[in-house]
Amino acid sequence: MTFRLLVTDDLSPEAVDLLDADDDIDYDVVKGLSPEQLAERIPGYHGLVVRSSARATAEVIAAGDTLEVIGRAGVGVDNIDLRAASERGVIVMNTPGANTVATAEHTMALLLAMCRNVPIAVASLRAGKWERKKYKGVELRGKTLGIIGLGRIGRRVARRCRAFGMEVICFDPYLSDDRAHEMHLERVVLDELLQRSDFITLHAALTPKTRGMINRHVIAKMKPGVRIVNAARGGLIDEAALVEALESGHVAGAALDVLTKEPPDFDNPLLHMDNVVVTPHLAASTDEAQREVGIQIVKQVIDALHGVDFRNAVNMPVVDGHVLKELRPFLSMAERLGSLQTQLAEDAITKVEVAVEGEVIDDYIKPITVALLKGLLEPVPTGSVNYVNAPHVAMTRGIVVSQTTGLHTTDYPNIISCRVEWSGGKRTIASTLFSHDEPRIVDVDGLRIDVIPEGTILVSWSRDEPGFIGKVGTLLGDRGINIATWRTGRSGKGEKALSFISVDSDVPDEIITKLAELAWVERISKVRF
Ligand code: MLT
């Protein structure tokens, strides 16, 4: 199959070479598209590669009738409507790490340029002035740096600032004390960081929660004379509040690589204040970072389109290549388990509980749950369900999904169990893999069984009494339907029996009806994999 890819910005020559070398990829580079133009252009493309200027809005994503993947050549995905992408099953991936060093180094450049008045001193000299006293600076050594957001970039900034003799403290709600300790960093609450820091640098993603986080109220809590650096996203700072604080001197200086509006209105006061250093979103713009970002995103998007790897997907719980390889048979097993639950349910499923146990799968309940939901929802006629939108589709259908423990009664290694509920009933089924990759259903409501979930299977609940097997054999045999395997689980001799009867060809509905009328049978269903 040929995949069509739309690239909305320049990629490095090495990345373009990769696209040229792939016979399965047919790409177009169209730059400077507004969201409306992008929405017009996107139908028919399977992949979209953007940097920060193109915006993949909900309308663009809705217009992408064949869109499967959006690759962001960079880190921030705030120019992509993630929610819309997830709802429509479109994978969004970025390239974390590829421009980390570039951004950390630019943060240092901003910090030093601000402390030593570099840009304004250069401008003054160029204007024919020699103003040595006017542009006296401050040192970093011995000062306290507060880092907000300790991801890849924040950690590198911390390391570099310690080398300058700074005391580094950090605030990051997702960082544990242990992890901070390992990195020799002091983790503090936000208020303490604001009160203690001589310099504050932002390294947080822009989300609805972090937008405007540096506002009037927060700035008021900062130490007088604080200096602020932002090489993350302009939207993190309320710019009007920052301008006020710079004018009053409460904030002594700011060094900004990013602004709320980019390109900015050129009358934005931040562009004209002597105590502000500002660069046009350059942090990731190095030869090295741009080469790496381009190569990574092209490789990732190609792999995702081929379905071989989904690394750095931000809206998909599937893990990267080598783990995926080990996990894939379990994901496939989970899908079949979900499918079996749907096919056996006696009414619309309203609740799904999933439990996983085993050395290989213990850490992967999330992707396993998504795979199970995919199998469970796939027969829904409303459109395709995939690893990205399965949780959303479940939610819109009012299905409550939870993860739990202790659902199964069997003791196989690496077991995936699932209990579903519908109005007036519930069923628990457990599954595992034999010999690493052979799927097996091993338990249904406490009845042990050993069934390969493939092909066509008749599932019957009956009384365990003589004559049943013979009668079923005759009914199917008369219609030329061969029984491949017959597996039974029973609670005890003469009690309730559960049979999984695999057949080599389809069983017509009228035969199912005849089977259901047999005296032994309580219930019989046909399932297909
Ligand atoms: C990023 O998010 O990767 C950087 O801000 C650079 C960019 O926007 O391209």
Side-chain angles (χ1 to χ4, degrees), residues 46-51 54-58 60-62 67-96 296-297 300-302 304-305 309-319 386-389:
H46 303 95
L48 170 68
V49 173
V50 297
R51 284 177 60 184
R55 289 198 298 124
T57 58
V60 169
I61 292 164
L67 191 61
E68 293 173 32
V69 188
I70 301 175
R72 162 72 166 100
V75 181
V77 285
D78 43 298
N79 54 331
I80 299 168
D81 191 322
L82 277 186
R83 194 192 167 118
S86 300
E87 285 177 13
R88 298 187 72 93
V90 175
I91 304 165
V92 178
M93 36 185 46
N94 66 354
T95 56
Q296 276 194 24
I297 203 63
Q300 285 175 210
V301 167
I302 290 176
L305 287 172
D309 191 299
F310 305 94
R311 62 198 177 279
N312 300 327
V314 296
N315 62 344
M316 187 180 187
V318 174
V319 280
N386 67 12
Y387 281 82
V388 176
N389 65 3

Side-chain angles (χ1 to χ4, degrees), residues 9 50-53 72-79 94-95 99 103 153 231-233 257-258 262 281-285 290 293:
D9 213 327
V50 297
R51 284 177 60 184
S52 52
S53 52
R72 162 72 166 100
V75 181
V77 285
D78 43 298
N79 54 331
N94 66 354
T95 56
N99 55 24
T103 307
I153 298 167
R233 281 294 180 269
D257 183 48
V258 284
E262 293 179 9
H281 204 147
L282 289 183
S285 293
Q290 288 312 304
V293 160

